[in-house]
CSV table of all heavy atoms in Angstrom, one decimal:
chain,number,residue,atom,x,y,z
A,20,PHE,N,5.3,21.8,-16.2
A,20,PHE,CA,6.0,23.0,-15.9
A,20,PHE,C,7.1,23.3,-17.1
A,20,PHE,O,7.1,24.5,-17.5
A,20,PHE,CB,6.7,22.9,-14.5
A,20,PHE,CG,7.7,24.1,-14.4
A,20,PHE,CD1,7.1,25.3,-14.1
A,20,PHE,CD2,9.0,24.0,-14.3
A,20,PHE,CE1,8.0,26.4,-13.8
A,20,PHE,CE2,9.8,25.1,-14.1
A,20,PHE,CZ,9.3,26.2,-13.8
A,67,GLU,N,12.1,35.1,-17.6
A,67,GLU,CA,11.8,33.6,-17.2
A,67,GLU,C,13.1,32.9,-17.2
A,67,GLU,O,13.4,32.1,-16.3
A,67,GLU,CB,10.9,33.1,-18.3
A,67,GLU,CG,10.6,31.6,-18.0
A,67,GLU,CD,9.7,31.3,-16.8
A,67,GLU,OE1,9.2,32.3,-16.2
A,67,GLU,OE2,9.6,30.2,-16.4
A,68,ILE,N,14.0,33.0,-18.1
A,68,ILE,CA,15.3,32.4,-18.2
A,68,ILE,C,16.1,32.7,-17.0
A,68,ILE,O,16.7,32.0,-16.4
A,68,ILE,CB,15.9,32.6,-19.6
A,68,ILE,CG1,15.2,32.1,-20.8
A,68,ILE,CG2,17.4,32.2,-19.6
A,68,ILE,CD1,15.7,32.6,-22.0
A,69,VAL,N,16.1,34.0,-16.7
A,69,VAL,CA,16.9,34.5,-15.5
A,69,VAL,C,16.4,34.0,-14.3
A,69,VAL,O,17.3,33.4,-13.3
A,69,VAL,CB,17.0,36.1,-15.5
A,69,VAL,CG1,17.7,36.6,-14.1
A,69,VAL,CG2,17.7,36.7,-16.6
A,70,ILE,N,15.1,34.0,-14.1
A,70,ILE,CA,14.5,33.5,-12.9
A,70,ILE,C,14.7,31.8,-12.8
A,70,ILE,O,15.2,31.4,-11.8
A,70,ILE,CB,13.0,33.6,-12.8
A,70,ILE,CG1,12.8,35.2,-12.5
A,70,ILE,CG2,12.3,32.9,-11.8
A,70,ILE,CD1,11.5,35.7,-12.6
A,71,LEU,N,14.6,31.1,-13.9
A,71,LEU,CA,14.9,29.8,-13.7
A,71,LEU,C,16.4,29.4,-13.4
A,71,LEU,O,16.6,28.5,-12.7
A,71,LEU,CB,14.5,29.0,-15.2
A,71,LEU,CG,13.2,28.9,-15.4
A,71,LEU,CD1,12.9,28.2,-16.7
A,71,LEU,CD2,12.5,28.0,-14.3
A,72,VAL,N,17.2,30.3,-14.1
A,72,VAL,CA,18.7,30.0,-13.7
A,72,VAL,C,19.0,30.4,-12.2
A,72,VAL,O,19.6,29.5,-11.5
A,72,VAL,CB,19.6,30.9,-14.6
A,72,VAL,CG1,21.0,30.9,-14.0
A,72,VAL,CG2,19.6,30.4,-16.0
A,73,TYR,N,18.3,31.4,-11.7
A,73,TYR,CA,18.5,31.6,-10.3
A,73,TYR,C,18.0,30.5,-9.5
A,73,TYR,O,18.6,30.0,-8.4
A,73,TYR,CB,17.7,32.9,-9.9
A,73,TYR,CG,17.5,33.1,-8.5
A,73,TYR,CD1,18.6,33.4,-7.6
A,73,TYR,CD2,16.3,32.9,-7.9
A,73,TYR,CE1,18.4,33.5,-6.2
A,73,TYR,CE2,16.1,32.9,-6.4
A,73,TYR,CZ,17.2,33.3,-5.7
A,73,TYR,OH,17.0,33.5,-4.4
A,74,CYS,N,16.7,30.1,-9.7
A,74,CYS,CA,16.1,28.9,-8.9
A,74,CYS,C,17.0,27.7,-9.0
A,74,CYS,O,17.1,26.9,-7.9
A,74,CYS,CB,14.8,28.7,-9.4
A,74,CYS,SG,13.5,30.0,-9.1
A,75,TRP,N,17.4,27.3,-10.1
A,75,TRP,CA,18.3,26.2,-10.3
A,75,TRP,C,19.6,26.2,-9.5
A,75,TRP,O,20.0,25.3,-8.8
A,75,TRP,CB,18.5,25.9,-11.8
A,75,TRP,CG,19.3,24.7,-12.1
A,75,TRP,CD1,18.9,23.4,-11.9
A,75,TRP,CD2,20.7,24.6,-12.6
A,75,TRP,NE1,19.9,22.6,-12.3
A,75,TRP,CE2,21.1,23.3,-12.7
A,75,TRP,CE3,21.7,25.5,-12.8
A,75,TRP,CZ2,22.3,23.0,-13.0
A,75,TRP,CZ3,22.9,25.2,-13.3
A,75,TRP,CH2,23.2,24.0,-13.4
A,76,LEU,N,20.2,27.5,-9.6
A,76,LEU,CA,21.5,27.6,-8.9
A,76,LEU,C,21.3,27.6,-7.4
A,76,LEU,O,22.1,27.0,-6.5
A,76,LEU,CB,22.3,28.9,-9.3
A,76,LEU,CG,22.7,28.9,-10.7
A,76,LEU,CD1,23.3,30.3,-11.1
A,76,LEU,CD2,23.9,27.8,-10.9
A,77,ALA,N,20.2,28.2,-6.9
A,77,ALA,CA,19.8,28.3,-5.4
A,77,ALA,C,19.2,27.0,-5.0
A,77,ALA,O,19.0,26.9,-3.8
A,77,ALA,CB,18.9,29.5,-5.2
A,78,LYS,N,18.8,26.2,-5.8
A,78,LYS,CA,18.0,25.0,-5.6
A,78,LYS,C,16.9,25.3,-4.6
A,78,LYS,O,16.4,24.6,-3.6
A,78,LYS,CB,18.9,23.9,-4.7
A,78,LYS,CG,20.2,23.6,-5.5
A,78,LYS,CD,20.0,22.4,-6.5
A,78,LYS,CE,21.3,21.8,-6.9
A,78,LYS,NZ,21.6,22.3,-8.3
A,79,ASN,N,16.2,26.4,-5.1
A,79,ASN,CA,15.0,26.8,-4.3
A,79,ASN,C,14.0,27.5,-5.3
A,79,ASN,O,14.2,28.4,-6.0
A,79,ASN,CB,15.5,28.0,-3.4
A,79,ASN,CG,14.4,28.4,-2.4
A,79,ASN,OD1,13.3,28.1,-2.6
A,79,ASN,ND2,14.8,29.3,-1.4
A,80,TYR,N,12.9,26.7,-5.3
A,80,TYR,CA,11.9,27.2,-6.4
A,80,TYR,C,10.6,27.8,-5.8
A,80,TYR,O,9.8,27.9,-6.6
A,80,TYR,CB,11.4,25.8,-7.0
A,80,TYR,CG,12.5,25.1,-7.8
A,80,TYR,CD1,13.3,24.2,-7.2
A,80,TYR,CD2,12.9,25.6,-9.1
A,80,TYR,CE1,14.4,23.6,-7.9
A,80,TYR,CE2,13.9,24.9,-9.7
A,80,TYR,CZ,14.7,23.9,-9.2
A,80,TYR,OH,15.7,23.5,-9.8
A,81,LYS,N,10.8,28.4,-4.6
A,81,LYS,CA,9.5,29.1,-4.2
A,81,LYS,C,9.3,30.3,-4.9
A,81,LYS,O,8.2,30.8,-4.9
A,81,LYS,CB,9.7,29.3,-2.6
A,81,LYS,CG,10.9,30.3,-2.1
A,81,LYS,CD,11.0,30.3,-0.7
A,81,LYS,CE,12.2,31.1,-0.3
A,81,LYS,NZ,12.4,31.0,1.2
A,82,ALA,N,10.3,30.9,-5.5
A,82,ALA,CA,10.0,32.2,-6.3
A,82,ALA,C,9.2,31.9,-7.5
A,82,ALA,O,8.5,32.9,-7.8
A,82,ALA,CB,11.4,32.7,-6.9
A,83,LEU,N,9.0,30.7,-7.8
A,83,LEU,CA,8.2,30.4,-9.0
A,83,LEU,C,6.7,30.5,-8.7
A,83,LEU,O,5.8,30.8,-9.5
A,83,LEU,CB,8.4,29.0,-9.4
A,83,LEU,CG,9.7,28.8,-10.2
A,83,LEU,CD1,10.0,27.4,-10.5
A,83,LEU,CD2,10.0,29.7,-11.2
A,84,VAL,N,6.4,30.4,-7.3
A,84,VAL,CA,5.0,30.7,-6.9
A,84,VAL,C,4.7,32.2,-7.1
A,84,VAL,O,3.5,32.3,-7.8
A,84,VAL,CB,4.7,30.4,-5.5
A,84,VAL,CG1,3.3,30.6,-4.9
A,84,VAL,CG2,5.0,28.8,-5.2
A,86,VAL,N,6.1,34.1,-9.2
A,86,VAL,CA,6.1,34.4,-10.7
A,86,VAL,C,4.7,33.9,-11.3
A,86,VAL,O,4.2,34.7,-12.2
A,86,VAL,CB,7.3,33.6,-11.3
A,86,VAL,CG1,7.2,33.7,-12.8
A,86,VAL,CG2,8.7,34.2,-10.9
A,123,HIS,N,3.5,27.4,-13.0
A,123,HIS,CA,4.6,27.9,-12.1
A,123,HIS,C,4.2,27.8,-10.6
A,123,HIS,O,4.9,27.3,-9.9
A,123,HIS,CB,4.8,29.4,-12.4
A,123,HIS,CG,5.8,29.6,-13.7
A,123,HIS,ND1,5.3,29.3,-14.9
A,123,HIS,CD2,6.9,30.1,-13.6
A,123,HIS,CE1,6.4,29.6,-15.7
A,123,HIS,NE2,7.4,30.1,-14.9
A,126,PHE,N,4.2,24.0,-9.7
A,126,PHE,CA,5.6,23.5,-9.6
A,126,PHE,C,6.3,24.1,-8.3
A,126,PHE,O,7.0,23.4,-7.7
A,126,PHE,CB,6.3,23.8,-10.8
A,126,PHE,CG,7.7,23.3,-10.9
A,126,PHE,CD1,7.9,21.9,-11.3
A,126,PHE,CD2,8.8,24.0,-10.6
A,126,PHE,CE1,9.1,21.3,-11.3
A,126,PHE,CE2,10.1,23.4,-10.7
A,126,PHE,CZ,10.2,22.0,-11.1
A,127,GLY,N,6.0,25.4,-8.1
A,127,GLY,CA,6.7,26.2,-7.1
A,127,GLY,C,6.2,25.4,-5.6
A,127,GLY,O,6.9,25.2,-4.7
A,134,GLN,N,11.0,20.6,-0.1
A,134,GLN,CA,11.9,21.2,0.8
A,134,GLN,C,11.5,21.0,2.2
A,134,GLN,O,12.3,20.6,3.2
A,134,GLN,CB,12.1,22.7,0.5
A,134,GLN,CG,12.8,23.0,-0.6
A,134,GLN,CD,13.1,24.5,-0.8
A,134,GLN,OE1,12.3,25.3,-0.4
A,134,GLN,NE2,14.0,24.8,-1.7
Side-chain angles (χ1 to χ4, degrees):
F20 171 73
E67 178 73 9
I68 293 168
V69 170
I70 290 171
L71 282 178
V72 168
Y73 164 76
C74 289
W75 181 70
L76 290 174
K78 303 277 191 260
N79 189 349
Y80 295 95
K81 65 183 171 187
L83 295 176
V84 175
V86 171
H123 277 69
F126 187 80
Q134 283 179 341

